[in-house]
Amino acid sequence: MPRTKKGARLWYREPRHDEKTGKLRDRGTWIIRDGAEFIATGCTLTEVRSAEEKLAAYISRKNSQIMPVKDIEKIDVAHVLNFYHEKTREKQANKEKLDERIRRLALWWGGKMLSQVTGETCEEFTDFRGTNGGARRDLQDLAAAITLHRNHGLHRELVEVLLPSRGQSRDRWLTRDEVARLLWVCWRHREVQTWQHGTRAGKSVVTNKRPLRHIARFILIGLYTGTRAGAIASASPFRHMGHSFVDLDAGQFHRLACGRRATKKRQPLVRLPSRLVAHMRRWQLQTHFIEWHGKPVKSVKTGFKTAITLAGLSGKVHPHTLRHTAATWMMQNGEDMNEIAGFLGMTVQMLNDVYGHHHPDFQERAAESFSVKNRRKRQKVGVSVGALTTPSAEADRTIENIGGPGRTRTCNQTVMSGRL
């Protein structure tokens, strides 16, 4: 039978002398022996207490590194979330957002065992969260936490997280008239204050303060570059750690903040339009392009919402709508899709899926394939195949004139004139 493995223990190594000269080569010390490993303590024969303390510290450190594998019926989801938070927080681009999501998940899932993560409980969490989009994002973190916990060998069973359906992508974009109205409101709006004391108490007075001009600058940058709101808010003509950099001399926008690692939401370098560069050079700022009372802002949601209300724009219009507007306008102009995708920092497939219907050539060939002219071209190609491949001229005249003589022409004229 194999010998039973002994645990970590102290072993005194005798002093060693040189065989030829007899000089002391290694003094006698206490050694921690753990299987095939020998860890020196540096303690002499008389320093037994210090050697024992080092042995206890070694055993404690070794035991802390060995986490027992448990059944999912005994693992609290809160423990899994905490493990994920400790392992991944420093790698996150937005640590505060991660903290919020982990708190929400721990509030609902805390006290539940990992075996209780089922499709039914995921649907209950979605109802608790209120929105499919928010619940989906939170549950993605839960799924990542469970996967990380399992990859570290802390449980072996496979636990699936049911995600709610993905919401429809926002298709709201602004027309040029709406943008002009929005910019006009932001630039011309003046702050209204109410008297609090004296004979004028309760009366309102219009001041000379322009509280929405920073929103106008935000709108211009968003429209001309299609950049996400966070990168615009942190944009600066100077290089700062954690802020995006605008090189006005080269006319380039380094959208990825200095010192930040790239994520799936790509933020590539973009060339600025000359018209926008002229605007940005005229703006008198302290350190950033979007400032409120001389200080940079973290978010423009409040001011942007006020501007939308004052402009009277309908529908759900958010700061991200400017990115949709920039993509839509470029597609409507018929620009090359590869250049648009590179400019906006997205894939060509995503550009085609979300904005492809705005392109002037969208389904043009398919729609025109029904015309008589194109069918006659096909008739010349397929005439040797047989009569079945060649539609008759009578059938063509019937389809063209099915609404009666002159009906088709009147409809086309109406559409072209913009009455329909």
Side-chain angles (χ1 to χ4, degrees):
M1 294 179 63
R3 298 172 62 181
T4 304
K5 183 179 179 181
K6 298 180 180 180
R9 63 197 184 279
L10 285 176
W11 172 70
Y12 182 70
R13 188 177 63 187
E14 298 290 341
R16 291 180 288 184
H17 298 79
D18 189 272
E19 296 180 355
K20 295 181 179 181
T21 63
K23 293 183 178 181
L24 180 66
R25 188 174 63 183
D26 294 314
R27 65 175 184 170
T29 56
W30 288 104
I31 303 294
I32 298 175
R33 187 170 180 176
D34 188 8
E37 295 187 19
F38 294 83
I39 299 94
T41 63
C43 301
T44 61
L45 180 62
T46 59
E47 297 173 335
V48 180
R49 187 175 182 82
S50 297
E52 290 175 343
E53 291 176 352
K54 292 189 177 182
L55 173 63
Y58 171 78
I59 294 174
S60 176
R61 184 169 59 253
K62 179 182 177 182
N63 291 337
S64 64
Q65 294 175 353
I66 302 175
M67 300 182 68
V69 179
K70 297 181 180 180
D71 295 332
I72 57 176
E73 289 83 3
K74 301 178 181 179
I75 302 176
D76 195 320
V77 178
H79 170 75
V80 177
L81 292 171
N82 184 58
F83 179 79
Y84 174 76
H85 188 257
E86 292 178 354
K87 290 289 186 180
T88 62
R89 188 179 189 278
E90 295 303 320
K91 302 177 183 179
Q92 297 291 327
N94 195 329
K95 298 178 178 58
E96 291 75 15
K97 291 291 185 181
L98 175 66
D99 296 341
E100 293 177 5
R101 294 194 297 270
I102 295 298
R103 279 195 295 269
R104 282 195 299 266
L105 288 167
L107 177 64
W108 199 88
W109 291 99
K112 294 180 175 63
M113 298 298 109
L114 203 55
S115 59
Q116 295 178 269
V117 180
T118 61
E120 183 178 357
T121 53
C122 290
E123 291 176 350
E124 292 175 0
F125 174 79
T126 302
D127 296 336
F128 162 78
R129 188 68 171 84
T131 60
N132 280 17
R136 182 183 178 87
R137 184 63 189 90
D138 290 352
L139 289 175
Q140 285 175 342
D141 278 330
L142 176 60
I146 295 173
T147 301
L148 183 66
H149 194 266
R150 184 172 183 269
N151 290 341
H152 277 73
L154 302 180
H155 76 271
R156 293 191 176 91
E157 293 84 351
L158 185 63
V159 179
E160 294 287 347
V161 177
L162 179 63
L163 299 179
S165 59
R166 187 187 300 272
Q168 295 182 352
S169 58
R170 297 173 182 173
D171 195 31
R172 179 71 165 96
W173 55 277
L174 302 177
T175 64
R176 296 185 181 273
D177 290 339
E178 289 176 328
V179 170
R181 192 193 323 166
L182 188 59
L183 286 172
W184 182 259
V185 165
C186 292
W187 198 254
R188 300 281 294 179
H189 178 68
R190 295 164 65 179
E191 186 177 288
V192 178
Q193 296 181 354
T194 304
W195 288 87
Q196 301 296 330
H197 305 286
T199 57
R200 299 182 180 180
K203 293 185 179 180
S204 299
V205 58
V206 179
T207 67
N208 291 325
K209 296 182 179 180
R210 311 284 183 173
L212 295 180
R213 286 197 170 179
H214 68 294
I215 302 297
R217 293 192 289 268
F218 176 86
I219 294 170
L220 287 174
I221 297 175
L223 283 175
Y224 278 113
T225 65
T227 305
R228 291 182 174 87
I232 299 176
S234 67
S236 171
F238 311 101
R239 292 186 182 272
H240 298 286
M241 290 299 294
H243 297 273
S244 54
F245 169 63
V246 178
D247 188 349
L248 292 178
D249 295 329
Q252 295 176 343
F253 188 0
H254 299 260
R255 292 185 282 201
L256 183 63
C258 301
R260 295 277 182 86
R261 66 180 183 87
T263 62
K264 292 182 179 179
K265 294 185 177 180
R266 297 180 294 176
Q267 295 179 316
L269 172 71
V270 63
R271 184 171 183 83
L272 296 173
S274 57
R275 183 177 297 181
L276 179 61
V277 173
H279 282 305
M280 300 176 82
R281 286 174 178 170
R282 286 194 297 266
W283 295 340
Q284 297 180 357
L285 305 167
Q286 298 293 330
T287 58
H288 293 75
F289 289 101
I290 311 299
E291 294 178 347
W292 170 252
H293 291 168
K295 297 181 180 179
V297 300
K298 293 184 178 180
S299 175
V300 296
K301 289 183 178 179
T302 302
F304 194 85
K305 184 177 180 181
T306 302
I308 294 299
T309 303
L310 293 174
L313 300 185
S314 60
K316 295 182 179 180
V317 181
H318 307 275
H320 198 74
T321 306
L322 299 176
R323 180 173 170 84
H324 289 287
T325 302
T328 301
W329 286 6
M330 284 189 284
M331 289 292 285
Q332 289 175 344
N333 289 336
E335 304 295 339
D336 182 73
M337 295 188 67
N338 289 300
E339 291 190 9
I340 298 176
F343 187 84
L344 296 175
M346 64 176 64
T347 63
V348 177
Q349 180 180 356
M350 179 178 292
L351 179 69
N352 186 54
D353 293 343
V354 180
Y355 307 100
H357 60 284
H358 293 298
H359 199 280
D361 296 335
F362 175 68
Q363 297 181 349
E364 180 181 4
R365 294 182 61 184
E368 293 301 324
S369 64
F370 294 97
S371 65
V372 177
K373 181 179 180 181
N374 289 334
R375 279 200 297 275
R376 287 173 179 170
K377 291 181 181 179
R378 294 195 302 273
Q379 289 173 10
K380 295 180 180 180
V381 175
V383 69
S384 61
V385 179
L388 292 179
T389 62
T390 306
S392 64
E394 183 64 27
D396 289 338
R397 285 194 296 270
T398 302
I399 295 174
E400 291 293 328
N401 299 321
I402 193 169
R407 184 69 57 84
T408 304
R409 179 182 179 185
T410 304
C411 182
N412 290 337
Q413 290 175 347
T414 305
V415 172
M416 291 302 295
S417 63
R419 296 175 183 175
L420 289 181

